[in-house]
Amino acid sequence: MRENCKKLYIFSYGLYPAQITLETLAAMRQCGVVYTHCLDKATAAQFSRQAPGMKLTCGLNREETVKAAVTALVKHDTVGFLTYGNPLFLNQTAAEVMKAAAKKNAEVRVFAGVSSFDALINLFALNKYSPRGLRLVDAAFSVENPVFTPDMDTLIFVPDVLNLPENSARRKNFVAAALKAYPETARVCLADCACISSRSAKVIKGDIGGLAGLLKKINERHTMFIPAVKRR
């Protein structure tokens, strides 16, 4: 890194604090202040030794959170931003902090962390994918025109967006497209990975024929897994 340069570190505790890496702990100790958007006072206390006086932004919106973290560079040479999972895996807040800090000519470093993707690989024993591979889908960017690839193992992230009131028609279209692509007996799972609020992973099992009912059980932590099937 360049000398005499402001630095912003973006790091993560993983899915729960026990997954934090030694690399991240060392980086945290280098920071003059650490901001976090994903912890409350009780959970932040777990990092009191590494980051005393951690700043919580849970009451701020995304724009305010970004501004608070980047503004701290005026006072501190090194600022940390603590998030969850792998910092830039489906994490818009961390991405915007990174972008805003770069605009201030700060040197930005992102530290890898354990993400829900890593946990899902273990949870569903995806050591070997289907012959066509593994497909990752962000439901937030595909609700307008859902595309299914039944000959690929598929992980659909943030499927809870389908249950937003404004997406009721899109949810019906999603279900119809799935029924057209898969046999009704094709397996579907909703995975709620172990996280800071629960160290036990939970899986709800169902099938494509019952997908409409399965969607009603989705919470904001769920990822949908649809194993590959043979083409019709």
Side-chain angles (χ1 to χ4, degrees), residues 32-95:
V33 65
V34 175
Y35 284 78
T36 183
H37 65 136
C38 55
L39 299 176
D40 56 24
K41 188 174 181 179
T43 50
Q46 299 177 68
F47 303 100
S48 60
R49 292 181 63 184
Q50 293 81 20
M54 181 180 286
K55 306 294 184 181
L56 310 182
T57 68
C58 50
L60 304 179
N61 62 31
R62 184 182 298 163
E63 182 179 350
E64 293 167 336
T65 293
V66 172
K67 183 178 179 180
V70 173
T71 300
L73 288 166
V74 174
K75 183 178 179 181
H76 302 278
D77 289 334
T78 304
V79 173
F81 185 76
L82 180 66
T83 186
Y84 55 87
N86 202 334
L88 297 184
F89 183 66
L90 301 178
N91 191 325
Q92 190 61 40
T93 302

Side-chain angles (χ1 to χ4, degrees), residues 125-180:
L126 294 175
N127 190 41
K128 183 178 181 181
Y129 310 138
S130 61
R132 288 290 301 277
L134 174 66
R135 180 170 177 245
L136 308 184
V137 178
D138 181 353
F141 289 94
S142 61
V143 291
E144 290 291 344
N145 184 30
V147 175
F148 291 97
T149 52
D151 52 351
M152 299 178 71
D153 293 328
T154 303
L155 289 169
I156 302 176
F157 294 89
V158 292
D160 60 298
V161 299
L162 293 164
N163 288 333
L164 294 175
E166 62 268 28
N167 284 337
S168 59
R170 297 182 181 95
R171 181 171 61 250
K172 292 179 181 178
N173 185 40
F174 179 90
V175 172
L179 285 168
K180 184 176 179 179

Side-chain angles (χ1 to χ4, degrees), residues 1 7-15 19-39 47 50-51 54-55 78-89 91 93-95 97-98 108-114:
M1 289 185 177
K7 305 176 183 70
L8 189 135
Y9 292 162
I10 299 177
F11 37 52
S12 161
Y13 56 77
L15 298 182
Q19 292 182 334
I20 196 167
T21 66
L22 294 176
E23 181 184 39
T24 292
L25 288 172
M28 193 179 292
R29 294 189 183 98
Q30 297 175 33
C31 298
V33 65
V34 175
Y35 284 78
T36 183
H37 65 136
C38 55
L39 299 176
F47 303 100
Q50 293 81 20
M54 181 180 286
K55 306 294 184 181
T78 304
V79 173
F81 185 76
L82 180 66
T83 186
Y84 55 87
N86 202 334
L88 297 184
F89 183 66
N91 191 325
T93 302
V97 169
M98 181 180 181
V108 181
R109 184 175 176 187
V110 181
F111 295 80
V114 177

